[in-house]
Amino acid sequence: MALEVIILAAGQGTRMKSALPKVLHPVAGKPMVGHVIDTASGLLPTKTHVVIGHGSSLLQDFLSRNYLSTDEQPCRNLIIAEQTEQLGTGHAVDQAMPSVDNDSTVLVLYGDVPMIRQDTLEQMVAVAKHQKLALLTVEVADSTGYGRIVRNASGAVEAIVEHKDANAEQLAIKEINTGILALPASWLKDWLPKLSSDNAQGEYYLTDIIEMAAKLDLPITAIQPSCEEEVQGVNNRLQLAELERWHQRQQANHWMTLGVTLLDPNRVDFRGDVHIEQDVSVDVNVIFEGRVRIGTSVTIGANCILKDCEIADGTVIKPNSMIDGSRIDEDCEIGPYARLRPGTVLAADAKVGNFVETKKTTVGEGSKINHLSYVGDAIVGCGVNIGAGTITCNYDGVNKFQTDIGDGAFIGSNTSLVAPVKVGKGATTGAGSTITKEIPEGALGVARGRQTNLTSWKRPTK
Ligand code: UD1
Ligand code: CA
């Protein structure tokens, strides 16, 4: 039976105190609603409906940038439903119903409950597909604010009573509604129009359908998550930070289990799609972002940021280095304080040292750029030594030009290479030269003022 997911994301999130809609606040670098959509997509739903309201233009931007294809054809079958007035969770689900197929199973998720796990949802959907109502509930120490799960004498779920509508006996119940449920779409289509807003909050509660189901003697199955954090909703920035820390620690534990040394598992952040091989050592305050692949026995020093990069086995990255959009082969040495910008490719055994910036540059095997240089739009051959203070002058204010440095070349310190320019194989540049013309293979290019010594010169006196 087809599955359709409805994600509620229309609420304002007043307590975030933010111009950004709550569900766009990130956990591990990704908006909360993005986590929910991605997890749901693992269930291969035929459609995913996102109910938006507050901050709808920003949400629409995010969704179309990440989840809708450019030709307006929704990939992943994402459908946006607008809830112009927030009249309650029941009303919110109802906004998506016109485009929900009658014979599907519906799974309702919250955009502000980002850590929900796919296997928990799979259990719920499996239950709901057998014409049952699956409800995700959890026992908490403090149930303040939540809907309480009311069970009858034989333990069957009878109703959900919202905190504000609960009597003293119901308030004492510790089993609460997480808000996540799954059921046949046809039941929702029957029941949603029958909801009333005659309650303490004057809202159309989705939770009222539980009592409707119980009265019809339809089976209700309560399922529990693997841990409380999985169903933790975010209402303010404190809860957001707590969930972020929890999620980060989960990932740190995962990588340690797989043979990665984290010098302090509480001081490393994984924000994206990261894969790390065995015997990698990661010092404190390292941030992984985007798609990152780290080979075996790589060493990463303190305070490094590694974004969208591949680092092959045995490479050593020293502290305070930033690597972005780059590919690094085996046994390279980078940093401290190196900045590798997008398009940097280092072949094996290359060295990029302190205060060196590279961009759109290929560096050949065993080549060294050890200190204080900018190398952009360049092809550097093998076994090249680039002296301190070398600059590729790659930009005339409008266009970018390429610098080619042949194998075995030696670039003297403080050379300016005015691109487009070529330095032949085995060629040398004199320190302090401004190179504007090709240097042939093996030649020395010197382009600087000759030194004159004035022996009769007197230093001014006061
Ligand atoms: C809801 C449940 C409660 C449960 C709690 C778990 C109801 C009536 N109550 O309460 O039983 O314990 O969640 O956190 O369902 N939303 C909309 N449109 C609306 C109202 C809400 O999209 O008109 C969205 C919100 O953005 C949010 C979610 O639905 O993502 C839950 O809304 P919220 O107001 O937080 O529900 P609670 O009152 O906390
Ligand atoms: Ca809530």
Side-chain angles (χ1 to χ4, degrees):
M1 195 193 281
L3 171 68
E4 301 201 25
V5 174
I6 300 176
I7 300 173
L8 304 189
Q12 183 163 23
T14 319
R15 282 170 285 169
M16 293 301 283
K17 304 225 158 82
S18 175
L20 192 68
K22 176 164 77 173
V23 297
L24 288 185
H25 281 262
V27 170
K30 177 159 78 180
M32 291 194 274
V33 70
H35 284 276
V36 179
I37 295 170
D38 292 347
T39 304
S41 76
L43 304 170
L44 308 176
T46 52
K47 289 177 230 155
T48 298
H49 311 258
V50 184
V51 181
I52 66 173
H54 278 281
S56 64
S57 62
L58 288 170
L59 256 159
Q60 214 138 21
D61 283 355
F62 168 76
L63 295 172
S64 49
R65 246 185 297 118
N66 295 280
Y67 297 100
L68 305 174
S69 64
T70 41
D71 55 13
E72 310 281 326
Q73 269 297 91
C75 65
R76 303 194 205 203
N77 299 315
L78 194 94
I79 297 171
I80 295 173
E82 281 251 22
Q83 188 193 27
T84 41
E85 251 187 307
Q86 278 68 62
L87 302 178
T89 49
H91 180 259
V93 170
D94 206 24
Q95 305 313 298
M97 292 315 285
S99 41
V100 172
D101 292 340
N102 221 27
D103 56 359
S104 63
T105 300
V106 169
L107 172 66
V108 177
L109 302 175
Y110 285 2
D112 57 359
V113 179
M115 292 293 109
I116 188 69
R117 286 168 49 142
Q118 190 179 323
D119 51 358
T120 305
L121 299 179
E122 272 163 2
Q123 280 180 54
M124 299 189 66
V125 171
V127 165
K129 284 195 168 166
H130 290 99
Q131 301 294 301
K132 291 181 184 168
L133 196 157
L135 200 59
L136 193 62
T137 74
V138 65
E139 291 224 9
V140 293
D142 179 7
S143 53
T144 309
Y146 292 106
R148 308 298 204 276
I149 306 296
V150 180
R151 291 174 182 264
N152 65 19
S154 50
V157 175
E158 255 185 348
I160 296 177
V161 179
E162 291 304 300
H163 182 103
K164 287 183 179 153
D165 301 287
N167 60 36
E169 193 190 334
Q170 291 161 342
L171 284 175
I173 299 171
K174 296 296 178 202
E175 186 186 6
I176 60 112
N177 172 35
T178 65
I180 293 172
L181 50 81
L183 74 170
S186 56
W187 295 5
L188 269 179
K189 293 211 174 186
D190 274 355
W191 299 338
L192 289 175
K194 295 182 186 152
L195 291 179
S196 130
S197 61
D198 183 15
N199 52 50
Q201 303 185 75
E203 287 183 1
Y204 296 94
Y205 293 163
L206 176 62
T207 45
D208 284 351
I209 66 169
I210 308 305
E211 200 177 339
M212 294 180 184
K215 283 193 171 144
L216 292 169
D217 275 329
L218 293 169
I220 301 172
T221 305
I223 289 170
Q224 279 72 45
S226 57
C227 61
E228 228 180 278
E229 285 81 1
E230 202 192 321
V231 294
Q232 181 65 58
V234 171
N235 293 311
N236 57 43
R237 297 193 200 229
L238 272 80
Q239 289 172 336
L240 181 67
E242 276 166 19
L243 212 54
E244 174 80 36
R245 281 305 102 210
W246 176 81
H247 179 57
Q248 290 301 342
R249 187 57 206 238
Q250 295 296 107
Q251 295 186 84
N253 292 353
H254 170 76
W255 291 116
M256 289 190 293
T257 311
L258 293 179
V260 175
T261 294
L262 301 175
L263 275 95
D264 182 349
N266 292 318
R267 283 187 291 167
V268 53
D269 276 25
F270 301 92
R271 302 174 190 161
D273 164 20
V274 181
H275 185 88
I276 311 179
E277 293 290 340
Q278 239 172 264
D279 289 317
V280 167
S281 169
V282 180
D283 209 333
V284 301
N285 299 327
V286 170
I287 300 174
F288 297 98
E289 272 183 70
R291 188 182 186 279
V292 176
R293 297 288 177 269
I294 312 282
T296 52
S297 302
V298 167
T299 302
I300 305 170
N303 309 316
C304 288
I305 300 176
L306 277 66
K307 184 180 174 198
D308 297 321
C309 60
E310 283 177 38
I311 317 279
D313 305 354
T315 283
V316 175
I317 302 164
K318 295 178 183 170
N320 300 300
S321 296
M322 288 176 68
I323 303 180
D324 181 6
S326 301
R327 208 193 76 219
I328 316 299
D329 285 351
E330 290 82 14
D331 302 314
C332 288
E333 241 182 83
I334 296 167
Y337 296 99
R339 179 171 182 215
L340 275 54
R341 292 170 51 202
T344 298
V345 177
L346 303 189
D349 296 308
K351 282 189 186 176
V352 171
N354 45 201
F355 307 106
V356 171
E357 175 182 344
T358 61
K359 187 216 76 172
K360 271 195 193 159
T361 286
T362 301
V363 178
E365 207 174 310
S367 290
K368 296 174 188 166
I369 315 173
N370 276 339
H371 340 260
L372 298 154
S373 292
Y374 171 64
V375 183
D377 301 303
I379 297 176
V380 178
C382 305
V384 170
N385 194 321
I386 296 189
T390 296
I391 305 286
T392 53
C393 310
N394 59 328
Y395 186 47
D396 64 5
V398 180
N399 304 299
K400 302 271 166 68
F401 300 98
Q402 189 168 303
T403 301
D404 271 301
I405 302 175
D407 295 345
F410 184 98
I411 308 298
S413 295
N414 212 33
T415 296
S416 298
L417 297 159
V418 182
V421 71
K422 280 187 181 166
V423 177
K425 283 185 186 173
T428 302
T429 74
S433 291
T434 298
I435 302 297
T436 55
K437 290 193 296 230
E438 178 168 351
I439 307 175
E441 211 175 303
L444 168 69
V446 190
R448 62 181 185 223
R450 275 186 180 279
Q451 182 171 337
T452 35
N453 294 331
L454 305 177
T455 48
S456 57
W457 181 78
K458 290 271 181 311
R459 189 185 290 171
T461 49
K462 279 191 184 163

